[in-house]
Amino acid sequence: MRDLTNRRSPGFCLGTFVSNTTLSKPTPNSIALSEAFLGFASAMSHMYVMLLSCCVLVLLVPGPCFTAPTVTLEEESTPTPEPHVDLKLATDYLQQYYNLKNDPLGRIKRSGPSFTSKVKDMQIFFGLNVTGTLDSDTLEVMRSPRCGVPDVEEYSHIQGMRWNKNVITYSIGRYTRDLPRSTVDSLIESAFSVWARASSLTFVRSNTHNADIMVEFVTYAHGDLFPFDGPRGTLAHAFGPGSGVGGDTHFDDSEHWTAGEAGFNLFVVAAHEFGHALGLKHSRNPESLMYPNYKAFNPANLLSSEDVANIKALYSPVRGHLNNVLTNSWLFGSLFPRLMQDKCAADLTFDAVSTLGDATFFFRERYLWIKHNQRDDIKEGPISNFMPKIETSIDAAFWVPRRSTAYLIHESIFWTVKGSRVKGKARKLSHFGFPVWVQEVDAAVHIPKTRRTLFFAHDIYWSYSENRKVMDFGYPKYISEGFPGLNSTINAAIHKDGFIYFFVGPQVYKYDYTQKHVVGVEKANSWLGC
Ligand code: ZN
Ligand code: ZN
């Protein structure tokens, strides 16, 4: 189950802190640019953006913003070949993509040092003659439809943010009316698979509003700081990896989106934008998918060798050699020396926690820590190292001691684990009697005393009778009613020593379910000795 603590949820307006996005990364190869960019980054980092779904934008703007300045031409000794419209175009372009700062008086000097140097930066990026003037080649590139993410980045080296997990969820919010929904779904899926094939990443479609990457078709001002500009110009933009808006990808719905060659090919633009959503910057190589301008790429061969090298550098495939370290028995296996994930990270959360035999299992993404109840050693590694049948993350898990059986749930399926073996094939979650609309749960816990298993999803929970093998009457109920004091989504739950322990974000609440109140709280990873 995903950590929802810092994410949007349907029906709620959460303020999201915009930081560490692709759009606000300082460029390391120019002091002047860095300073300018830091101004921007600091402005960004002071802005709380209400989410798209809320349709309200709250701005606390202490620094420069992206509104175009009043264009006041300075009188010059030589006549200007470019009409005002070109200067306006160039100014907007350089402000958006090369971080040209507003003149304090709102004027624009075409011949000013800042303007000229930004023109040169742009000309260098696109391999044009570096004249510092708005010649016809330069203006032609400036008029080309392109990605909305700035170019003032260190483009030739991998840097900055990445997702700290290999399974990334996405969800399509608002659709375009240019294409049937099923076509949009399949083009978006194909665009993700371009990157999945070149890396260790897996993309999983989710129908919730709190997926890692929210895909939206929007127009003009749409709730972030980067309004779209109508037809042509900016086609789309994406935020780099991170919580909140991190990873979110927006397409300008003023464009004509197609699955073919007319208009703008959604598959090609989406694949480019998802590169940003994974942490990649613009490339100046026209062969690269991460080149900022729209090009009719060969859909069968989108990635250049540079794109492949860059995504591999960020997300190197690790599954191959780790699978060489297979073991079927964690109870007698040796300690795994690999520290693939930092169990003591301050904000560590778990997807699922369960007793299994005489150990406690902690699941996070595709990773597993096993803490023996009577010993201090902790084994760890990819889940598939211990349970070769399971190649996915685990959303929820529970242990029924009477049967010495654990149940591991991933979305709408679950596995049964007995002893140290996964028994048979995965079965459908609907086996427990959920209504059809329940396709995943957040957490599950079995209470031996009542012989009930509780399943938690969002803000509701069900009670399943293990004796009668049916859901108890009167469920689902609100978690806040059944468990006063718990007001957020639950990541994981486990029953121990007569208490239920609820893992919520990086914390764990000790809950007395007979007295119905929280009796203690500690760091989740204190259970792993941190
Ligand atoms: Zn881009
Ligand atoms: Zn946007």
Side-chain angles (χ1 to χ4, degrees), residues 146-151 236-237 272-273 276 281-282 290-292:
R146 58 162 289 157
C147 169
V149 175
D151 301 330
H237 57 222
H272 172 100
E273 296 303 330
H276 291 309
K281 312 297 186 250
H282 277 154
M290 295 314 292
Y291 187 69

